[in-house]
Amino acid sequence: MESSRSDDPNLSPNLDRRSNPAHNPIISSAHVWPTIDGPLGLTEEASVDYARRFYKFGFALLPWLWAVNCFYFWPVLRHSRAFPQIRNYVVRSAIGFSVFTALLSAWALTFSIGGEELFGPVWDKLVMYNVADRLGLSGLA
């Protein structure tokens, strides 16, 4: 009778597993994927390559790729301990896109709110809606 008794917690149905917070069957059974398309997405090696490319091409005046990088690798941003190689590029892309968005918004608001009152006589040289008139291409003499 003693040989049939087991102390293995997986074989004993009467053990209360809620007392052990480290063993959570929902969390332990879920697999974390590096991309938003889960098992249909890229492998981890290909994900590192894509994240690196998106990050580097974002500096080539394509900062919207940083937003794509953050969106596509969203699971990497959510799970801080998963995929440290990919996370490095994705977090930097998030920071870069945030800085780019702040600068673009400041520039747009400066021109839309300030306009001619803010820039004075230099305003006519900054705006682009009168380029045809300045070059004599409008046909108006």
Short mmCIF file of all heavy atoms in Angstrom, two decimals, residues 108-115 117-118:
data_model
loop_
_atom_site.label_atom_id
_atom_site.label_comp_id
_atom_site.label_asym_id
_atom_site.label_seq_id
_atom_site.Cartn_x
_atom_site.Cartn_y
_atom_site.Cartn_z
N ALA A 108 4.17 71.31 -35.94
CA ALA A 108 2.86 71.55 -36.55
C ALA A 108 2.06 72.58 -35.75
O ALA A 108 1.42 73.47 -36.32
CB ALA A 108 2.08 70.25 -36.66
N LEU A 109 2.10 72.47 -34.44
CA LEU A 109 1.36 73.43 -33.61
C LEU A 109 1.96 74.83 -33.68
O LEU A 109 1.24 75.83 -33.66
CB LEU A 109 1.30 72.95 -32.16
CG LEU A 109 0.38 71.76 -31.92
CD1 LEU A 109 0.54 71.25 -30.50
CD2 LEU A 109 -1.06 72.14 -32.19
N THR A 110 3.28 74.91 -33.78
CA THR A 110 3.93 76.21 -33.91
C THR A 110 3.46 76.93 -35.16
O THR A 110 3.11 78.11 -35.13
CB THR A 110 5.46 76.05 -33.95
OG1 THR A 110 5.88 75.45 -32.74
CG2 THR A 110 6.16 77.39 -34.12
N PHE A 111 3.40 76.23 -36.27
CA PHE A 111 2.97 76.86 -37.52
C PHE A 111 1.47 77.10 -37.56
O PHE A 111 1.02 78.11 -38.11
CB PHE A 111 3.41 76.01 -38.72
CG PHE A 111 4.80 76.32 -39.16
CD1 PHE A 111 5.87 75.69 -38.57
CD2 PHE A 111 5.04 77.25 -40.15
CE1 PHE A 111 7.15 75.97 -38.96
CE2 PHE A 111 6.32 77.54 -40.55
CZ PHE A 111 7.39 76.91 -39.95
N SER A 112 0.69 76.19 -37.02
CA SER A 112 -0.77 76.37 -37.12
C SER A 112 -1.29 77.40 -36.12
O SER A 112 -2.21 78.15 -36.43
CB SER A 112 -1.49 75.03 -36.93
OG SER A 112 -1.26 74.54 -35.63
N ILE A 113 -0.73 77.45 -34.94
CA ILE A 113 -1.22 78.39 -33.93
C ILE A 113 -0.51 79.74 -34.06
O ILE A 113 -1.13 80.79 -34.03
CB ILE A 113 -1.04 77.82 -32.51
CG1 ILE A 113 -1.94 76.61 -32.32
CG2 ILE A 113 -1.33 78.87 -31.46
CD1 ILE A 113 -1.70 75.86 -31.03
N GLY A 114 0.82 79.71 -34.21
CA GLY A 114 1.58 80.96 -34.26
C GLY A 114 1.42 81.69 -35.56
O GLY A 114 1.04 82.86 -35.60
N GLY A 115 1.71 81.01 -36.65
CA GLY A 115 1.57 81.59 -37.97
C GLY A 115 2.31 82.89 -38.17
O GLY A 115 3.42 83.09 -37.70
N GLU A 117 1.69 85.82 -37.04
CA GLU A 117 1.87 86.64 -35.84
C GLU A 117 3.15 86.27 -35.10
O GLU A 117 3.81 87.12 -34.51
CB GLU A 117 0.68 86.46 -34.91
CG GLU A 117 -0.62 86.95 -35.52
CD GLU A 117 -1.82 86.52 -34.68
OE1 GLU A 117 -1.62 85.87 -33.64
OE2 GLU A 117 -2.94 86.84 -35.09
N LEU A 118 3.51 85.01 -35.13
CA LEU A 118 4.70 84.54 -34.43
C LEU A 118 5.97 84.83 -35.23
O LEU A 118 6.97 85.26 -34.67
CB LEU A 118 4.59 83.04 -34.14
CG LEU A 118 5.76 82.39 -33.42
CD1 LEU A 118 5.86 82.93 -32.00
CD2 LEU A 118 5.59 80.89 -33.40
#
